[in-house]
Amino acid sequence: MMSYKNFIYGALGLTIGATVTAFNLPDKSKKMKEGAPSELRISNRTEYGQLKEVVVGRWVPNTFRVGKVDASLKNFAPYLSDKAWEYWAKCEDKNIAEVFPEDDKNNFLEQENLVKTLENLGVKVRRPDPIPFSSMIASQCYSRDPIITIGNKVILANLRSEARRMEVASYGRIAQDLTEQYQGEVVRMPALKQGLAEGNAYLEGGDVFVEGKDIYVGISGNATNDLGIEWLRETLGDEYVVHRVALKPNVLHLDCAMMLINDKLGVICEEDFEDFDALPASLKRRKWVTVAPEEAQVMATNGIAVNPETIIMVDAFPEVAEQIRAHGIEVIAIPFDKANYYGGGLRCSYQPISREH
């Protein structure tokens, strides 16, 4: 009899542990249509160029089921707050909608409000296909991690959490459209073996920051690994410098510790880095709005740079917002409470396809 896991992966057009195969993408990459209109272009050269087109994830109501909340899960996800663990424990072996129906509804509404906020700012928004399983554990609300845009490349990434790997297939329709219509390139990482097998290369979008030819990649042991960083260096070639940025083991991704607002300003939690003084000089040259570790843990650093003068951030941090406004930046504050429970925030919820530079 086919196992439940085999059923899920087969239904998504995947082999066990693999990335997208259902959309006829080659093993490594496929270049885009050469004659595409100039406005149909993959382009992400900084964290803060004017956003033109993005992918925003989905909160699919009545689908998020929590498994065992025990020491093994705690060890796997040391970045979650005590408040989050108390919340998850109440949902153990249940669908969140059963225990907190209003939260399930509000999580959906918050994600849709983010879409409307971006569209009102003139940004084109794409959405992944919903994963059609009521027992979904995958965090499909976070489109930052399964796809990564660097320069003219969109990378279909390898996620460390096996439960989340099924998310990659839900971006296949978007990847196929980019392949057929856009200038640029789609790149797929090597297929993964099951579980946390030796030799697996992990690279997650929350760890990747783009600043011209400098690429900063966070590594805490919770997501991206050194094999993933080496794969990225090889794929990007000598044109780029890929910097390894060591994070404390209680941090999930680099964007849980840092945000780049423009080339002069950022938000950072210095305590979340293994050695803040060892950060690349090209990164440290900014003025920084600093936040405490307890603020960073609930995503005070995790916002969206719409352009060099405008950001979107969670409305739970008014003091941080005022410090940013003092530098002449427009801050659009919106509700996004689920950041406190699932380990992600606003930056985690979108991935640029195109920015103006």
Side-chain angles (χ1 to χ4, degrees):
M1 178 180 291
M2 181 181 286
S3 70
Y4 176 67
K5 186 181 208 176
N6 278 317
F7 172 75
I8 289 178
Y9 276 78
L12 293 173
L14 302 175
T15 56
I16 295 293
T19 51
V20 178
T21 61
F23 293 86
N24 299 318
L25 293 177
D27 286 341
K28 186 174 181 183
S29 68
K30 184 169 183 179
K31 291 185 178 179
M32 305 301 128
K33 188 175 181 180
E34 295 294 340
S38 59
E39 66 270 15
L40 297 181
R41 183 188 302 272
I42 296 169
S43 180
N44 186 42
R45 305 189 187 284
T46 70
E47 293 292 310
Y48 38 81
Q50 174 65 54
L51 277 177
K52 294 177 61 181
E53 185 173 353
V54 301
V55 181
V56 173
R58 289 185 183 274
W59 182 271
V60 183
N62 199 36
T63 61
F64 199 104
R65 177 173 288 275
V66 177
K68 283 288 182 185
V69 183
D70 56 15
S72 64
L73 185 58
K74 185 83 170 178
N75 290 336
F76 187 83
Y79 46 85
L80 291 176
S81 66
D82 291 339
K83 184 179 179 181
W85 283 109
E86 292 172 7
Y87 186 90
W88 280 53
K90 294 175 183 177
C91 302
E92 186 175 41
D93 289 328
K94 296 182 180 68
N95 193 304
I96 285 177
E98 299 174 44
V99 185
F100 298 109
E102 286 301 311
D103 285 2
D104 188 56
K105 177 182 176 181
N106 288 336
N107 291 341
F108 169 77
L109 293 174
E110 285 177 355
Q111 199 92 23
E112 300 312 298
N113 180 59
L114 171 58
V115 171
K116 290 179 181 177
T117 301
L118 287 165
E119 289 178 338
N120 288 340
L121 291 167
V123 180
K124 178 180 177 180
V125 178
R126 292 174 178 256
R127 313 297 296 280
D129 295 332
I131 298 175
F133 298 106
S134 61
S135 58
M136 183 175 76
I137 301 174
S139 305
Q140 201 180 3
C141 46
Y142 301 132
S143 59
R144 172 62 56 170
D145 301 325
I147 53 175
I148 303 167
T149 309
I150 300 175
N152 72 339
K153 290 180 172 62
V154 167
I155 297 168
L156 302 178
N158 281 354
L159 306 183
R160 180 172 178 263
S161 169
E162 194 163 22
R164 292 196 64 195
R165 292 175 196 173
M166 69 177 70
E167 294 176 41
V168 181
S170 66
Y171 296 89
R173 175 178 50 82
I174 294 172
Q176 188 69 44
D177 184 61
L178 296 177
T179 300
E180 295 173 351
Q181 302 296 331
Y182 280 53
Q183 296 183 32
E185 189 174 5
V186 167
V187 181
R188 184 175 64 178
M189 291 189 70
L192 294 170
K193 297 178 182 177
Q194 283 184 257
L196 302 176
E198 184 177 353
N200 276 350
Y202 307 125
L203 184 69
E204 302 193 5
D207 279 320
V208 179
F209 279 67
V210 181
E211 189 163 32
K213 300 304 181 182
D214 287 300
I215 310 298
Y216 308 109
V217 184
I219 186 164
S220 65
N222 296 312
T224 298
N225 65 3
D226 282 311
L227 287 175
I229 292 175
E230 287 306 311
W231 177 88
L232 184 63
R233 285 181 175 141
E234 179 183 344
T235 298
L236 295 179
D238 295 339
E239 183 181 357
Y240 288 85
V241 179
V242 178
H243 303 269
R244 184 186 190 276
V245 180
L247 301 164
K248 296 281 182 66
N250 63 301
V251 180
L252 174 55
H253 292 132
L254 183 56
D255 63 10
C256 300
M258 180 181 78
M259 175 183 179
L260 305 184
I261 295 174
N262 53 42
D263 62 349
K264 298 181 176 61
L265 183 66
V267 182
I268 204 161
C269 177
E270 295 183 11
E271 293 90 339
D272 280 347
F273 295 84
E274 286 287 4
D275 186 352
F276 180 77
D277 292 333
L279 291 181
S282 56
L283 184 60
K284 287 179 65 180
R285 64 190 177 203
R286 288 170 171 74
K287 293 181 179 179
W288 294 104
V289 173
T290 58
V291 300
E294 56 269 23
E295 293 176 301
Q297 190 176 41
V298 290
M299 305 299 123
T301 62
N302 199 276
I304 297 173
V306 179
N307 56 50
E309 294 83 34
T310 309
I311 68 167
I312 305 171
M313 67 178 296
V314 181
D315 63 2
F317 310 105
E319 293 182 3
V320 178
E322 284 308 307
Q323 292 181 63
I324 295 170
R325 289 187 179 108
H327 290 274
I329 304 299
E330 179 184 1
V331 178
I332 301 168
I334 64 173
F336 215 73
D337 289 341
K338 71 169 169 289
N340 294 319
Y341 302 116
Y342 309 111
L346 287 170
R347 185 180 189 267
C348 305
S349 300
Y350 90 107
Q351 178 67 245
I353 291 175
S354 180
R355 290 182 182 270
E356 290 180 359
H357 298 287

